[in-house]
Amino acid sequence: MKKLLATLTLSPLISIAETAPTIDTAHYLSTEKSVRQVESVYDRAAYWGTCAAAFKSMGYLMKELGYEANAEQMLGVGRGSEVAVIMTYMEETLNEIETTEPESAVNKFNSGWNFAKLQGNEIPEVRMTWLMSQLETLQFEQGEEKGFDIFFQRLTNTTQKCMEDNDRQVELVNAWRGLAKSGLLKIDG
């Protein structure tokens, strides 16, 4: 009798728990760490590239929904993440130059700058393609609407996680501004 009563009492709770929405905390970054804790320059650059793609994706979605000011803000933060990719590599280059003979430092700086600029464009583009493939996969597996909802939640989680490192992004953007003002950088257009 006790078993029957427990079953009748708990059954509705179990079915509610089974149908209650779960909060998806997944995101599209490859680490749970702050970017400051990521040791590899390549992994830090990929982190910023994913942030750039996530912010830009969110910006495009907001623009589609008519939230112009929010869209511009997201797109701007995405551009800052692209600069963070560049400056992640430039920091590495500048650290290497400290131990380089003065006559080869200029060549090392210029080659580092050219590589950093290339990566600043390429990594966010590759990560954007990867994000869109995640959306397509989710829509294929879960259906168009549910797949989009899952993608949007994970994209939101990603931008929130990226914002936790916004102070570091601002430092990198300010370092880029300092280099640009010094005349050391050749900036296209």
Side-chain angles (χ1 to χ4, degrees), residues 51-52 54-60 62-63 68-84 163 166 169-170 173 177:
C51 289
F55 284 125
K56 286 187 161 192
S57 295
M58 189 66 80
Y60 298 142
M62 288 180 166
K63 190 170 271 194
E68 295 294 324
N70 285 316
E72 287 306 314
Q73 183 179 12
M74 284 290 154
L75 294 170
V77 176
R79 288 188 294 275
S81 295
E82 290 173 344
V83 171
M163 285 304 292
N166 191 54
Q169 178 172 314
V170 169
V173 169
R177 289 178 178 137

Side-chain angles (χ1 to χ4, degrees), residues 54-125:
F55 284 125
K56 286 187 161 192
S57 295
M58 189 66 80
Y60 298 142
L61 288 170
M62 288 180 166
K63 190 170 271 194
E64 282 291 313
L65 295 171
Y67 299 105
E68 295 294 324
N70 285 316
E72 287 306 314
Q73 183 179 12
M74 284 290 154
L75 294 170
V77 176
R79 288 188 294 275
S81 295
E82 290 173 344
V83 171
V85 172
I86 293 169
M87 288 308 297
T88 295
Y89 283 112
M90 283 308 294
E91 276 187 330
E92 188 86 357
T93 297
L94 293 171
N95 288 336
E96 290 171 3
I97 286 175
E98 288 180 1
T99 60
T100 303
E101 296 298 319
E103 53 277 355
S104 63
V106 171
N107 286 338
K108 189 163 205 62
F109 181 88
N110 288 335
S111 64
W113 173 243
N114 290 332
F115 178 75
K117 282 192 312 186
L118 175 69
Q119 294 303 297
N121 291 324
E122 293 297 317
I123 292 174
E125 226 174 84

